[in-house]
Amino acid sequence: MGKLTTHVLDTANGRPGAGIKIELFALAGDTRRALKTTTTNADGRCNEPLLEGGALVAGEYELVFHAGDYFAAAGAPLPQPRFVDRVVLRFGVADAAAHYHVPLLVSPWSYSTYRGN
């Protein structure tokens, strides 16, 4: 059974990104459809998969991580406007039966991602 999961690591402070708002959208051409909004737990993970089973279909998706709000709430000294604010990751799911894990490693100055498992 396929599923989509994520987690966030705060690389500036060496800890999980707890309490980060994440939005998930399905993309179809110019259409962007909201699927889910959630918040990371104390481990920087979501309590359940973002999508699983029949809800995960082949196609294009977008994750929006509200990292700037997280760093501001943590008291990080941030410029205005923030250098890293909302991190938008667009990615494709080719095999809806597979596990797509899309982690975010983030600081106030940079971010990276990869397909994990």
Side-chain angles (χ1 to χ4, degrees):
M1 173 169 58
K3 64 182 175 179
L4 172 63
T5 58
T6 190
H7 76 272
V8 182
L9 298 173
D10 172 350
T11 57
N13 297 295
R15 62 183 179 211
I20 297 178
K21 179 181 174 181
I22 301 171
E23 298 171 292
L24 173 65
F25 299 89
L27 305 174
D30 292 335
T31 303
R32 184 175 179 244
R33 182 173 48 94
L35 298 178
K36 187 172 206 169
T37 300
T38 190
T39 303
T40 57
N41 62 24
D43 288 331
R45 299 179 181 274
C46 300
N47 290 330
E48 60 188 34
L50 297 171
L51 295 173
E52 65 182 324
L56 179 64
V57 299
E60 294 182 83
Y61 293 89
E62 180 178 278
L63 283 168
V64 180
F65 298 86
H66 292 249
D69 293 342
Y70 162 79
F71 286 111
L78 302 173
Q80 290 302 320
R82 298 170 183 163
F83 184 73
V84 171
D85 192 19
R86 290 186 182 155
V87 176
V88 178
L89 301 179
R90 288 189 173 199
F91 60 96
V93 169
D95 179 2
H99 180 188
Y100 284 78
H101 184 66
V102 184
L104 177 69
L105 290 76
V106 66
S107 82
W109 307 107
S110 67
Y111 64 88
S112 65
T113 190
Y114 57 94
R115 180 176 174 195
N117 57 22

